């Protein structure tokens, strides 16, 4: 802040209303460069007790008080006007009105300021936000939107005070620039584990671990930039919620998220992202392991990316395994099956009978990719001649659905059998009555919606739709053509 010294002239008021006298206003009218937030004083000198007023042409840029103090409010240029009203201090109009002005250009001393978008910290722990600022070293002011959850000191060090699944905003301010970082305060840092962990109801998990995590029956856990390089196993009904703006990863050599046993429900929800990967053959990414039995799967929200190894569905049943109903109500779901698995539905049947319950999609965005010879949504490939492979049925009433079959698989329906005899992959009723749907068969398949059929030998390598197919909305393939829909002879 700079102040300009001023002088005051004490003169007698010699004018009259009939014969006003000049005020002899004097003020420096040179233009001023003012740093945002700074102030300076420039006061007029006038004759006698002439009344002077100060005004700004744009108070969003610069304000001025009646002592001539100017404050830089916003970047730009404003005109400061000094006016002699013609009145003296006693309220008599004995001076000739007069005004003078000068321009104030307010500039921002900070060219740029940015900070990381997200930080996760456990209760009682601290982490420092490292902003990027130009010019380097310019002072930064820090503030927290809720200090009962997370505090921040003058260096940008954030301390977790209380667990919260709603991010707290930490704001950095320098000059006219601000940058924000959303902070999630977790209850447990997985990086501290030395053995397998059983989560607690309400846990907000962050950090990285190679140890398995289990979720007790009835518990809800929240993932906030958590990385589990092992299996997360549900011991009963369980909810896994992804905290907004966070990205979590579950990567396992078997099933990434193992659903609870038959009769239970795994619910995936939230607004964050979950990247789940199963690298092993025969194990679904989310659902059942090889020859395992899983309950229901419900996806309500979040961004879910699931990738399975060969012979398994990305979401649903592993090879020789079972999964009950799969329901997608919201969120964005991308499911990539391994070879011979369905994106959403069943895996192959080399390790025994493989089945999933009804697949229902009522909302959200769903992208399902079948592996070689598997359907995008429905049944996978029957790669063994003595075991059944079944999807109970498929119902789509809403959402945006893009389903892609692999090789001879249908986009929505079934894959094919690989032997000249034995069970075929089977799907019950297929009903599509709403939503924006794209169904695209594999490169060697016949139908976009219906049974998988190998076009080179349709009498040997095929699947079966045992129920009816009802499609009452327009369905396209990936090229914008009307989808081909199987009609029973």
């Amino acid at each position: 802040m700079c102040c300009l010294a001023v002088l005051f002239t004490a003169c007698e008021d010699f004018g009259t209303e009939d014969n006003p006298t000049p005020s002899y206003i004097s003020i420096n009218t040179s233009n001023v460069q003012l740093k945002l937030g700074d102030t300076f004083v420039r006061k007029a000198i006038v004759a006698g007790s002439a009344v002077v007023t100060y005004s700004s042409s744009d108070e969003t840029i610069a304000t001025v008080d009646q002592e001539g103090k100017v404050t830089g409010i916003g970047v730009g240029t404003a005109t400061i006007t000094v006016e002699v009203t013609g009145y003296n201090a006693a309220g008599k109009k004995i001076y000739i009105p007069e005004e003078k002005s000068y321009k104030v250009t307010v500039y921002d001393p900070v060219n740029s300021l940015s900070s990381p978008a997200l930080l996760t910290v456990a209760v009682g722990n601290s982490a420092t936000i490292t902003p990027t600022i130009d010019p380097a070293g310019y002072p930064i002011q820090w503030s927290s939107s809720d200090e009962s959850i997370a505090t921040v000191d003058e260096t940008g060090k954030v301390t977790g005070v209380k667990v919260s699944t709603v991010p707290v905003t930490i704001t950095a301010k320098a000059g006219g620039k601000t940058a924000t970082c959303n902070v999630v305060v977790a209850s447990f840092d997985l990086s501290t584990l030395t053995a397998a962990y059983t989560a607690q109801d309400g846990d907000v998990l962050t950090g990285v671990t190679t140890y398995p995590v289990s979720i007790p029956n009835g518990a809800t856990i929240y993932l906030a930039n958590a990385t589990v390089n092992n299996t997360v196993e549900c011991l009963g009904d369980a909810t896994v919620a992804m905290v907004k703006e966070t990205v979590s990863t579950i990567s396992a050599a078997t099933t990434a998220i193992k659903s609870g046993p038959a009769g239970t429900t795994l619910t995936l929800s939230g607004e964050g992202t979950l990247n789940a990967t199963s690298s092993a053959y025969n194990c679904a990414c989310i659902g059942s392991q090889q020859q395992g039995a899983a309950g229901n799967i419900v996806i309500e929200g979040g961004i879910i990316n699931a990738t399975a190894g060969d012979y398994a569905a990305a979401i649903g049943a592993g090879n020789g395994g079972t999964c009950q109903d799969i329901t997608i109500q919201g969120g964005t779901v991308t499911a990539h099956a391994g070879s011979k698995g369905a994106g959403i539905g069943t895996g192959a049947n080399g390790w025994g009978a493989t089945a999933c319950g009804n697949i229902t999609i009522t909302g959200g965005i769903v992208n399902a990719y079948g592996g070689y010879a598997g359907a995008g949504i429905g049944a996978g490939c029957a790669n063994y001649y003595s075991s059944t492979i079944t999807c109970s049925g498929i119902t789509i009433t809403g959402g945006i659905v893009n389903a892609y079959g692999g090789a001879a698989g249908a986009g929505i329906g079934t894959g094919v059998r690989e032997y000249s005899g034995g069970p075929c992959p089977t799907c019950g009723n297929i009903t599509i009555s709403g939503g924006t749907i794209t169904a695209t068969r594999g490169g060697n398949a016949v139908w976009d919606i219906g049974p998988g059929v190998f076009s080179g030998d349709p009498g040997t390598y095929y699947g079966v739709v045992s129920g009816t197919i009802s499609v009452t909305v327009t369905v396209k393939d990936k090229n914008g053509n009307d989808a081909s829909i199987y009609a029973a002879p």
Side-chain angles (χ1 to χ4, degrees):
M1 178 177 73
C2 61
C3 295
L4 303 180
V6 297
L7 298 175
F8 296 89
T9 302
C11 300
E12 298 294 334
D13 294 337
F14 294 114
T16 64
E17 291 189 8
D18 294 332
N19 186 26
T21 186
S23 65
Y24 301 105
I25 184 172
S26 175
I27 190 169
N28 182 353
T29 57
S30 60
N31 296 333
V32 176
Q33 297 283 323
L34 183 62
K35 188 162 61 176
L36 188 67
D38 275 3
T39 64
F40 80 99
V41 176
R42 183 177 284 181
K43 195 164 186 177
I45 300 172
V46 293
S49 63
V51 174
V52 178
T53 62
Y54 299 83
S55 62
S56 169
S57 64
D58 191 338
E59 292 193 342
T60 65
I61 295 174
T63 60
V64 61
D65 68 14
Q66 295 311 304
E67 297 298 322
K69 185 173 79 171
V70 178
T71 302
I73 302 298
V75 174
T77 299
T79 299
I80 303 300
T81 300
V82 183
E83 181 184 6
V84 174
T85 62
Y87 292 90
N88 68 358
K92 295 180 179 180
K93 193 171 184 180
I94 60 174
Y95 290 102
I96 299 172
E98 187 178 358
E99 67 178 41
K100 291 188 177 182
S101 63
Y102 62 94
K103 294 184 182 297
V104 175
T105 298
V106 181
Y107 68 94
D108 190 342
V110 176
N111 298 318
S112 63
L113 174 65
S114 62
S115 71
L118 185 72
L119 177 70
T120 305
V121 62
V123 169
N125 291 351
S126 298
T128 298
I129 299 172
T130 303
T132 301
I133 187 168
D134 179 22
Y138 194 90
I140 298 174
Q141 296 176 318
W142 296 92
S143 62
S144 169
S145 63
D146 191 339
E147 292 190 340
S148 71
I149 295 173
T151 61
V152 61
D153 68 11
E154 67 277 3
T155 68
K157 184 174 77 172
V158 177
T159 301
V161 177
K162 183 174 66 177
V163 175
S164 177
T165 59
V166 178
V168 172
T169 301
I170 302 297
T171 301
K173 186 177 187 306
K177 302 291 192 300
T178 59
T180 59
C181 176
N182 287 331
V183 173
V184 175
V185 180
S187 60
F188 188 79
D189 186 348
L190 295 169
S191 304
T192 63
L193 288 177
T194 58
Y197 178 66
T198 299
Q200 306 301 307
D201 184 31
D203 260 356
V204 181
L205 303 180
T206 191
V208 180
T209 186
T210 58
Y211 294 100
V213 175
S214 58
I215 307 173
N217 181 39
T220 296
I221 69 166
Y222 300 86
L223 301 180
N225 286 349
T227 298
V228 180
N229 293 314
N230 211 311
T231 295
V232 174
E233 180 178 2
C234 304
L235 303 180
D237 292 324
T239 297
V240 178
M242 279 58 69
V243 175
K244 183 178 181 179
E245 299 182 19
T246 67
V247 178
S248 296
T249 300
I250 302 174
S251 180
T254 57
T255 295
I257 302 181
K258 182 182 176 184
S259 301
T264 66
T265 299
L266 163 65
T267 302
L268 300 176
S269 64
E271 299 179 73
T273 298
L274 172 63
N275 298 319
T277 304
S278 172
S279 60
Y281 286 2
N282 305 315
C283 293
C285 179
I286 301 173
S288 70
Q289 294 181 321
Q290 175 182 317
Q291 296 182 301
N296 304 298
I297 300 171
V298 176
I299 300 177
E300 297 177 341
I303 300 171
I304 314 296
N305 301 309
T307 302
D310 291 345
Y311 310 108
I315 300 174
N319 192 338
T322 62
C323 172
Q324 292 183 294
D325 295 343
I326 302 169
T327 303
I328 301 175
Q329 301 170 345
T332 299
V333 180
T334 301
H336 286 271
S339 177
K340 303 180 184 179
I344 299 173
T346 79
N349 65 342
W351 284 89
T354 305
C356 74
N358 292 299
I359 300 171
T360 303
I361 301 174
T362 62
I365 300 172
V366 178
N367 302 296
Y369 300 84
Y372 176 80
I377 299 174
C381 167
N383 70 327
Y384 193 67
Y385 58 85
S386 64
S387 300
T388 59
I389 178 169
T390 306
C391 170
S392 295
I394 302 168
T395 301
I396 302 174
T397 61
I400 299 172
V401 179
N402 303 299
Y404 305 88
I412 299 173
T414 78
V416 299
R417 69 178 180 184
E418 286 193 322
Y419 294 91
S420 57
C424 294
T426 302
C427 182
N429 296 330
I430 300 174
T431 303
I432 303 174
S433 60
T436 302
I437 317 299
T438 298
T440 304
R441 62 188 182 271
N444 299 316
V446 175
W447 306 107
D448 295 315
I449 299 174
V453 177
F454 176 48
S455 59
D457 190 352
T460 302
Y461 306 108
Y462 59 91
V464 173
V465 174
S466 60
T468 61
I469 298 177
S470 173
V471 180
T472 56
V473 295
T474 299
V475 179
K476 299 290 186 178
D477 67 15
K478 67 180 181 180
N479 297 315
N481 302 312
D482 288 341
S484 57
I485 303 172
Y486 173 77

